[in-house]
Amino acid sequence: MKITAVDVVLCARPAVTPAFRWRDGLPGSEPAHTGGWLVLSTDDGHTGYAYSQRGVILADIVDRRLRPELLGADALQREWLWHRVWELDRIEEMPLYIHGLVDVALWDIAGKAAGLPVHRLLGGYRSAIPAYASTATFATISEYLDVADQCLELGYPAIKLHAWGNADRDIALCAALREHVGDSVPLMYDGSAGFDLLDSIKLGRVLSEAGYLWYEEPMREFSATAYQRLAEKVDVPLIVAETSDGAHMNTADFIANGSATAVRTSAGLRGGITGAMRIAHLADAYRMRAEVHGGGIVHTHLCMAIPNTTYYESFVPANPVTREEAVDANGLVHAGTAPGIGYEAEWERTSVPAGLEPFTS
C-alpha cells in the first residue's frame, strides 16, 4: 500500500467562543487562526487524516521535510516511518504538536484498510471509560465551586483544576474545593508549569493533606532532577512527562529517578499513537498508570486501548457548564465503531475554508 499523495489542506478557523482563560502568564483560548489537515492518500484508495491548529507551520514542514520522505513509502510500515520522522527531527526540531501527525494519519489508513476502529487494532481493552471534568481558569473560588457542582450534577465523577498560577491563591482554592465536595470525589490539580520548586513543594503539601488523586506539571519539565526533589518532599502522587520532548525516551528518565507516580501519554505531544503506546507499555512495566492527556477522538481510541489509564480528560471551558458531547449522562465516554480514527465528520465540517482561499501544498 503505497502513499501517492501528501497534502496539507489549510482552513480558516474562528476564534473560540466563549473565550476562556488559562493561568496568569499564559494566553487563553485560541483567537481566529489557520488550521491544517494532513491528508495522506494511497494507491488502493484509502485516505488518512490528522489535524493541527498550526496549519501554516504544518504546511511548511511537510513541504520541506516530510513529503519527500513519505511519497512512495508503504503506508503500513508505521514503525519505519515513525523512526524516520524522529530522524528528521534531529535537523528540523519539529514542534511536539506536529511530530505525531504522520503517525495518526497512518493509523487512520490502517484502520480503514482493516475495516476496524483504531482502538481495536491496538488490541482493545475496554468499551467505555469515565471522564473527569478538566476546568479552564475561572475568576473566583465561589465560581469554581459552582462549576464543580454543575459538573457533578452532569455526571462527571471527578474534577481537575486549572487555577491561577499563584501558589497562595491556588492553595486556598484546592482546600476549599475538597471541603465543598467531600472526601469521596476524586480531585486532581494541574499547575500548568507555573511554579518553581519552592512553591511546588508548598502547594504539593496542601494537596497531600487534602487527598488529591494527582499533582500535575507544577514546573516546566526541562529538569527531571527538579521533579525528583519535589517527589522527595511531598506525598501527593506526581503525574509527570506531559510536555517534555522525547516521547518514551524522556519519560523513562522521570521513572528512573523516582519522580513519577504516574506518567502522561498522548498522541498530540508524545509522537502520535505509536509514541503514546510506547509510553503506556513502558509505564505498565513499572506498574504505573499512563493517563491520557487531553480529549478528542484520537485520545478516545487511546483510552479504549490502554489498560493502565483510568480516565478520559473532558475539558470544561465555560460557566454555565455544558457537558462534552462525547460524555454521556453517567460520565462515560464510549468506544467508536467507525473504521480508522473516525475523522470524517470533522473533516467535512472544517476542511471547507471560511474566508480563506483553498490551499493544497
Side-chain angles (χ1 to χ4, degrees):
M1 187 188 301
K2 302 298 182 183
I3 298 173
T4 56
V6 180
D7 296 317
V8 175
V9 177
L10 297 182
C11 49
R13 306 300 304 138
V16 172
T17 53
F20 60 84
R21 293 177 52 204
W22 289 124
R23 68 160 172 84
D24 294 346
L26 294 182
S29 52
E30 283 288 314
H33 61 280
T34 301
W37 285 95
L38 174 65
V39 184
L40 304 183
S41 304
T42 68
D43 58 3
D44 62 352
H46 293 300
T47 303
Y49 299 102
Y51 181 76
S52 173
Q53 289 184 322
R54 306 289 179 253
V56 175
I57 295 173
L58 172 63
D60 172 64
I61 292 174
V62 167
D63 285 344
R64 292 189 297 104
R65 299 295 184 198
L66 296 180
R67 184 179 290 107
E69 191 71 37
L70 295 171
L71 282 175
D74 185 343
L76 296 181
Q77 282 195 294
R78 290 182 304 277
E79 281 289 330
W80 168 250
L81 293 173
W82 192 83
H83 281 280
R84 287 301 304 152
V85 172
W86 272 107
E87 185 76 355
L88 295 174
D89 180 72
R90 173 61 185 84
I91 295 298
E92 188 63 36
E93 287 290 339
M94 297 179 203
L96 288 181
Y97 54 81
I98 296 293
H99 206 284
L101 292 177
V102 170
D103 186 72
V104 169
L106 292 173
W107 276 102
D108 192 23
I109 289 170
K112 291 169 180 173
L116 292 170
V118 164
H119 63 85
R120 292 285 304 278
L121 281 188
L122 293 170
Y125 181 76
R126 58 173 65 89
S127 59
I129 193 169
Y132 67 83
S134 181
T135 74
T137 299
F138 295 104
T140 63
I141 289 177
S142 61
E143 185 175 17
Y144 273 103
L145 300 185
D146 175 44
V147 166
D149 287 340
Q150 293 179 60
C151 290
L152 295 174
E153 289 170 4
L154 288 169
Y156 286 107
I159 298 169
K160 187 178 83 173
L161 294 174
H162 292 90
W164 298 292
N166 176 289
D168 291 333
R169 290 188 74 196
D170 289 11
I171 284 170
L173 170 62
C174 292
L177 181 60
R178 170 54 76 204
E179 181 178 3
H180 184 73
V181 301
D183 293 335
S184 64
V185 177
L187 299 178
M188 307 84 145
Y189 171 85
D190 187 337
S192 300
F195 303 108
D196 62 11
L197 180 57
L198 190 62
D199 276 343
S200 296
I201 293 170
K202 180 180 180 181
L203 179 52
R205 287 174 172 166
V206 172
L207 298 177
S208 300
E209 294 168 2
Y212 272 61
L213 180 61
W214 74 58
Y215 186 19
E216 183 175 342
E217 200 191 9
M219 302 176 286
R220 294 301 299 268
E221 293 179 335
F222 298 136
S223 172
T225 301
Y227 274 88
Q228 182 182 37
R229 300 288 184 266
L230 178 61
E232 293 167 353
K233 299 294 185 181
V234 300
D235 293 327
V236 62
L238 299 181
I239 186 167
V240 302
E242 175 183 312
T243 63
S244 55
D245 203 349
H248 62 294
M249 296 168 281
N250 178 265
T251 300
D253 291 335
F254 287 89
I255 294 175
N257 76 2
S259 60
T261 308
V263 300
R264 274 303 202 186
T265 194
S266 69
L269 298 178
R270 313 309 281 161
I273 292 170
T274 298
M277 294 303 294
R278 273 174 161 72
I279 290 169
H281 295 152
L282 169 67
D284 190 48
Y286 288 90
R287 309 309 300 145
M288 290 182 178
R289 295 178 185 176
E291 295 287 353
V292 175
H293 168 242
I297 192 168
V298 177
H299 291 147
T300 299
H301 286 281
L302 288 176
C303 284
M304 300 306 157
I306 296 174
N308 51 324
T309 200
T310 59
Y311 287 102
Y312 171 92
E313 182 170 13
S314 178
F315 186 44
V316 174
N319 185 16
V321 175
T322 301
R323 189 175 60 231
E324 184 181 346
E325 186 175 349
V327 182
D328 72 13
N330 296 313
L332 296 174
V333 175
H334 296 269
T337 58
I341 299 293
Y343 261 137
E344 278 63 30
E346 190 172 349
W347 161 257
E348 292 296 329
R349 181 176 61 84
T350 64
S351 63
V352 178
L356 181 77
E357 289 300 314
F359 174 85
T360 302
S361 66

